[in-house]
Amino acid sequence: EKGTYPHYMLKEIDEQPYVIRNIISKYKTEDETIKLDEDIRQAMLGADRIYIIAAGTSNHAGLVGKQLIERIANKPVEVHIASEFLYNMPIVSEKPLFIFISQSGETADSRGVLVNVKEMGHKALTITNVPGSTLSREADYTLHTYAGPEIAVASTKAYTAQMAVLAILAVDTARAAGIDMNFDPLQELAIVANAMEVLTDQKEKMEQIARDYLSVTRNCFFIGRAADYFVCLEGALKLKEISYIQAEGFAGGELKHGTIALIEEGTPVIGLATQEHVNLSIRGNMKEVVARGASPCMISMEGLNDEDDQLVIPKVHEYLTPLVTVIPLQLLSYYAALHRECDVDKPRNLAKSVTVE
Ligand code: M6R
């Protein structure tokens, strides 16, 4: 039930700090280490390459997951759009592990790949919010995202939950492989949950930013580099699906290879800056679009911020920034849709789970 909330989407955005805390408690042993099935651990350890298969928002969580697994566990990962994989199959390594990420566990495109790779004799792990769903039943292993039912068509808490579980999985694999590292995902996720709360408490500010930048525009661009780029893809998808604004996410350096032609006086460009090693270059990209008339909205992380940035997010570990930066983007989409009188929870032409190919 949505209780006092006007929309499920807003309720689900607000639930994210609790979801992250719930995940911490579900994946924590009594002595504060990671609780994970030994079978899953061995499957991760034994794989020479991981293939992440997913659609939409879950695919965007997969992109962040790739970075986490590669950086933390030093294992190569490919991320594929489910609907493309079958028709344009890459060369698969000798000992692959397929990871399916799906909120519903019912997405037909992902299931098509699962059936296929099982026929080829490969192992599959499903990360889902619905254990007992088709993708969960048909895979060898399941990891639960514990986000609780997600009703709004626009996925919010399932996305952050998927990334949290992927971070835990990456660290578990690294520890099992004897990789030394200075990153405790359970502690760092607790910091993330607090940071999320700081942002969900700033709804008036988000509403004002949405009003200033998004209430009348035809289009909107999101730019970021490294992990921020993946969040830009998600921010743009969210805005498109519920506010019907033409929105695109770009890697910071890519806009000038074509799309910058679309920038006009007042075109909103939302920039993300949470990664120290690309902070200067993303700010350079922002200057390029501002010089063409764009209206810049910079969202940065504490410590990397300039004083005229529109929003500063609390500091969290650099691996986990996507879980936090997405919160203002979700809220901006929500308020943009509201101001434009769109049906927030049930946008046109969309279903909650896409069970046909
Ligand atoms: O249930 P799934 O995670 O497999 O769904 C995948 C996509 O259909 C889903 O993420 C979709 O893109 C959402 N509407 C995004 O908000």
mmCIF file of all heavy atoms in Angstrom, residues 55-58 101-107 110 153-155 162 234 237-238 241 351-354, ligand 1:
data_model
loop_
_atom_site.group_PDB
_atom_site.id
_atom_site.type_symbol
_atom_site.label_atom_id
_atom_site.label_comp_id
_atom_site.label_asym_id
_atom_site.label_seq_id
_atom_site.Cartn_x
_atom_site.Cartn_y
_atom_site.Cartn_z
ATOM 1 N N ALA A 55 18.026 -6.226 -18.855
ATOM 2 C CA ALA A 55 17.354 -5.222 -19.685
ATOM 3 C C ALA A 55 17.107 -3.954 -18.864
ATOM 4 O O ALA A 55 16.988 -4.012 -17.636
ATOM 5 C CB ALA A 55 16.008 -5.783 -20.167
ATOM 6 N N GLY A 56 17.031 -2.839 -19.566
ATOM 7 C CA GLY A 56 16.604 -1.575 -18.950
ATOM 8 C C GLY A 56 17.436 -1.179 -17.740
ATOM 9 O O GLY A 56 18.674 -1.219 -17.761
ATOM 10 N N THR A 57 16.737 -0.806 -16.694
ATOM 11 C CA THR A 57 17.405 -0.367 -15.468
ATOM 12 C C THR A 57 18.312 -1.454 -14.895
ATOM 13 O O THR A 57 19.400 -1.170 -14.390
ATOM 14 C CB THR A 57 16.331 0.057 -14.448
ATOM 15 O OG1 THR A 57 15.770 1.285 -14.906
ATOM 16 C CG2 THR A 57 16.882 0.236 -13.064
ATOM 17 N N SER A 58 17.887 -2.697 -14.986
ATOM 18 C CA SER A 58 18.720 -3.785 -14.458
ATOM 19 C C SER A 58 20.022 -3.882 -15.239
ATOM 20 O O SER A 58 21.071 -4.226 -14.692
ATOM 21 C CB SER A 58 17.958 -5.115 -14.526
ATOM 22 O OG SER A 58 16.828 -5.046 -13.683
ATOM 23 N N ILE A 101 20.316 -10.261 -14.121
ATOM 24 C CA ILE A 101 19.820 -9.290 -13.145
ATOM 25 C C ILE A 101 18.423 -8.903 -13.573
ATOM 26 O O ILE A 101 18.205 -8.469 -14.720
ATOM 27 C CB ILE A 101 20.708 -8.025 -13.082
ATOM 28 C CG1 ILE A 101 22.176 -8.409 -12.830
ATOM 29 C CG2 ILE A 101 20.209 -7.078 -11.994
ATOM 30 C CD1 ILE A 101 23.126 -7.209 -12.790
ATOM 31 N N SER A 102 17.455 -9.101 -12.677
ATOM 32 C CA SER A 102 16.072 -8.798 -13.044
ATOM 33 C C SER A 102 15.228 -8.539 -11.800
ATOM 34 O O SER A 102 15.141 -9.414 -10.930
ATOM 35 C CB SER A 102 15.472 -9.970 -13.822
ATOM 36 O OG SER A 102 14.112 -9.743 -14.098
ATOM 37 N N GLN A 103 14.665 -7.360 -11.724
ATOM 38 C CA GLN A 103 13.784 -7.064 -10.607
ATOM 39 C C GLN A 103 12.685 -8.114 -10.527
ATOM 40 O O GLN A 103 12.499 -8.750 -9.504
ATOM 41 C CB GLN A 103 13.183 -5.659 -10.792
ATOM 42 C CG GLN A 103 12.380 -5.103 -9.620
ATOM 43 C CD GLN A 103 10.996 -5.696 -9.465
ATOM 44 O OE1 GLN A 103 10.633 -6.147 -8.359
ATOM 45 N NE2 GLN A 103 10.231 -5.750 -10.520
ATOM 46 N N SER A 104 11.962 -8.278 -11.627
ATOM 47 C CA SER A 104 10.774 -9.144 -11.627
ATOM 48 C C SER A 104 11.125 -10.622 -11.736
ATOM 49 O O SER A 104 10.363 -11.478 -11.297
ATOM 50 C CB SER A 104 9.881 -8.779 -12.813
ATOM 51 O OG SER A 104 10.585 -9.010 -14.035
ATOM 52 N N GLY A 105 12.242 -10.921 -12.381
ATOM 53 C CA GLY A 105 12.581 -12.320 -12.664
ATOM 54 C C GLY A 105 11.722 -12.902 -13.772
ATOM 55 O O GLY A 105 11.704 -14.115 -13.987
ATOM 56 N N GLU A 106 11.012 -12.063 -14.488
ATOM 57 C CA GLU A 106 10.082 -12.555 -15.513
ATOM 58 C C GLU A 106 10.349 -11.974 -16.903
ATOM 59 O O GLU A 106 9.554 -12.203 -17.819
ATOM 60 C CB GLU A 106 8.626 -12.216 -15.120
ATOM 61 C CG GLU A 106 8.158 -12.794 -13.790
ATOM 62 C CD GLU A 106 8.144 -14.327 -13.751
ATOM 63 O OE1 GLU A 106 8.193 -14.971 -14.815
ATOM 64 O OE2 GLU A 106 8.106 -14.870 -12.621
ATOM 65 N N THR A 107 11.399 -11.218 -17.055
ATOM 66 C CA THR A 107 11.635 -10.549 -18.338
ATOM 67 C C THR A 107 11.956 -11.564 -19.444
ATOM 68 O O THR A 107 12.909 -12.342 -19.337
ATOM 69 C CB THR A 107 12.779 -9.527 -18.159
ATOM 70 O OG1 THR A 107 12.324 -8.563 -17.205
ATOM 71 C CG2 THR A 107 13.143 -8.833 -19.452
ATOM 72 N N SER A 110 15.481 -11.733 -21.113
ATOM 73 C CA SER A 110 16.511 -12.357 -20.271
ATOM 74 C C SER A 110 16.294 -13.863 -20.202
ATOM 75 O O SER A 110 17.241 -14.653 -20.254
ATOM 76 C CB SER A 110 16.485 -11.765 -18.859
ATOM 77 O OG SER A 110 16.699 -10.373 -18.932
ATOM 78 N N VAL A 153 6.039 1.528 -12.229
ATOM 79 C CA VAL A 153 6.699 1.003 -13.435
ATOM 80 C C VAL A 153 8.168 1.424 -13.473
ATOM 81 O O VAL A 153 9.049 0.650 -13.850
ATOM 82 C CB VAL A 153 5.927 1.459 -14.705
ATOM 83 C CG1 VAL A 153 6.771 1.264 -15.951
ATOM 84 C CG2 VAL A 153 4.617 0.674 -14.820
ATOM 85 N N ALA A 154 8.448 2.646 -13.082
ATOM 86 C CA ALA A 154 9.833 3.115 -13.069
ATOM 87 C C ALA A 154 10.572 2.459 -11.911
ATOM 88 O O ALA A 154 10.199 2.608 -10.749
ATOM 89 C CB ALA A 154 9.876 4.628 -12.924
ATOM 90 N N SER A 155 11.618 1.747 -12.236
ATOM 91 C CA SER A 155 12.351 1.017 -11.213
ATOM 92 C C SER A 155 13.270 1.971 -10.443
ATOM 93 O O SER A 155 14.005 2.755 -11.034
ATOM 94 C CB SER A 155 13.175 -0.071 -11.899
ATOM 95 O OG SER A 155 13.806 -0.866 -10.937
ATOM 96 N N GLN A 162 20.064 -3.898 -6.367
ATOM 97 C CA GLN A 162 20.884 -4.766 -7.234
ATOM 98 C C GLN A 162 22.357 -4.391 -7.121
ATOM 99 O O GLN A 162 23.225 -5.258 -7.008
ATOM 100 C CB GLN A 162 20.432 -4.607 -8.697
ATOM 101 C CG GLN A 162 19.079 -5.253 -8.987
ATOM 102 C CD GLN A 162 18.437 -4.737 -10.277
ATOM 103 O OE1 GLN A 162 18.878 -3.748 -10.876
ATOM 104 N NE2 GLN A 162 17.387 -5.411 -10.716
ATOM 105 N N GLU A 234 20.962 5.767 -16.556
ATOM 106 C CA GLU A 234 19.787 5.466 -15.732
ATOM 107 C C GLU A 234 18.937 6.718 -15.511
ATOM 108 O O GLU A 234 17.700 6.668 -15.602
ATOM 109 C CB GLU A 234 20.240 4.846 -14.400
ATOM 110 C CG GLU A 234 19.150 4.586 -13.382
ATOM 111 C CD GLU A 234 18.022 3.691 -13.874
ATOM 112 O OE1 GLU A 234 18.129 3.086 -14.944
ATOM 113 O OE2 GLU A 234 16.995 3.636 -13.167
ATOM 114 N N LEU A 237 16.972 7.367 -18.667
ATOM 115 C CA LEU A 237 15.864 6.407 -18.855
ATOM 116 C C LEU A 237 14.690 6.769 -17.948
ATOM 117 O O LEU A 237 13.531 6.783 -18.372
ATOM 118 C CB LEU A 237 16.346 4.972 -18.572
ATOM 119 C CG LEU A 237 15.268 3.886 -18.623
ATOM 120 C CD1 LEU A 237 14.598 3.805 -19.989
ATOM 121 C CD2 LEU A 237 15.850 2.517 -18.265
ATOM 122 N N LYS A 238 15.028 7.089 -16.695
ATOM 123 C CA LYS A 238 13.966 7.439 -15.733
ATOM 124 C C LYS A 238 13.175 8.638 -16.230
ATOM 125 O O LYS A 238 11.953 8.644 -16.221
ATOM 126 C CB LYS A 238 14.638 7.755 -14.400
ATOM 127 C CG LYS A 238 13.946 7.318 -13.162
ATOM 128 C CD LYS A 238 14.194 5.889 -12.760
ATOM 129 C CE LYS A 238 13.854 4.873 -13.797
ATOM 130 N NZ LYS A 238 14.312 3.543 -13.514
ATOM 131 N N GLU A 241 10.986 7.773 -19.357
ATOM 132 C CA GLU A 241 9.822 6.904 -19.216
ATOM 133 C C GLU A 241 8.682 7.539 -18.440
ATOM 134 O O GLU A 241 7.532 7.238 -18.727
ATOM 135 C CB GLU A 241 10.186 5.515 -18.678
ATOM 136 C CG GLU A 241 10.612 5.416 -17.252
ATOM 137 C CD GLU A 241 10.935 3.971 -16.853
ATOM 138 O OE1 GLU A 241 10.332 3.026 -17.373
ATOM 139 O OE2 GLU A 241 11.800 3.804 -15.989
ATOM 140 N N ALA A 351 4.720 -1.518 -19.406
ATOM 141 C CA ALA A 351 4.223 -2.472 -18.417
ATOM 142 C C ALA A 351 5.310 -2.671 -17.376
ATOM 143 O O ALA A 351 6.487 -2.444 -17.653
ATOM 144 C CB ALA A 351 3.918 -3.797 -19.096
ATOM 145 N N LYS A 352 4.920 -3.083 -16.185
ATOM 146 C CA LYS A 352 5.931 -3.271 -15.133
ATOM 147 C C LYS A 352 6.927 -4.353 -15.510
ATOM 148 O O LYS A 352 8.113 -4.200 -15.321
ATOM 149 C CB LYS A 352 5.251 -3.592 -13.795
ATOM 150 C CG LYS A 352 6.229 -3.795 -12.638
ATOM 151 C CD LYS A 352 7.058 -2.553 -12.340
ATOM 152 C CE LYS A 352 8.082 -2.762 -11.243
ATOM 153 N NZ LYS A 352 9.132 -1.719 -11.262
ATOM 154 N N SER A 353 6.432 -5.482 -16.008
ATOM 155 C CA SER A 353 7.446 -6.428 -16.485
ATOM 156 C C SER A 353 7.111 -6.856 -17.912
ATOM 157 O O SER A 353 5.940 -7.038 -18.251
ATOM 158 C CB SER A 353 7.657 -7.598 -15.530
ATOM 159 O OG SER A 353 6.490 -8.297 -15.342
ATOM 160 N N VAL A 354 8.150 -6.949 -18.687
ATOM 161 C CA VAL A 354 7.981 -7.176 -20.120
ATOM 162 C C VAL A 354 8.146 -8.660 -20.385
ATOM 163 O O VAL A 354 9.258 -9.165 -20.510
ATOM 164 C CB VAL A 354 8.996 -6.319 -20.912
ATOM 165 C CG1 VAL A 354 8.738 -6.452 -22.413
ATOM 166 C CG2 VAL A 354 8.891 -4.852 -20.505
HETATM 167 O O1 M6R B 1 12.179 -6.914 -14.126
HETATM 168 P P1 M6R B 1 13.420 -6.517 -14.860
HETATM 169 O O2 M6R B 1 14.457 -5.928 -13.987
HETATM 170 O O3 M6R B 1 14.012 -7.669 -15.663
HETATM 171 O O4 M6R B 1 12.969 -5.416 -15.889
HETATM 172 C C1 M6R B 1 13.848 -4.884 -16.819
HETATM 173 C C2 M6R B 1 13.285 -3.627 -17.448
HETATM 174 O O5 M6R B 1 12.103 -3.907 -18.132
HETATM 175 C C3 M6R B 1 13.037 -2.531 -16.421
HETATM 176 O O6 M6R B 1 14.183 -2.217 -15.696
HETATM 177 C C4 M6R B 1 12.531 -1.258 -17.106
HETATM 178 O O7 M6R B 1 13.557 -0.698 -17.882
HETATM 179 C C5 M6R B 1 12.013 -0.258 -16.078
HETATM 180 N N1 M6R B 1 10.734 0.266 -16.495
HETATM 181 C C6 M6R B 1 12.942 0.898 -15.863
HETATM 182 O O8 M6R B 1 12.460 1.816 -14.930
#
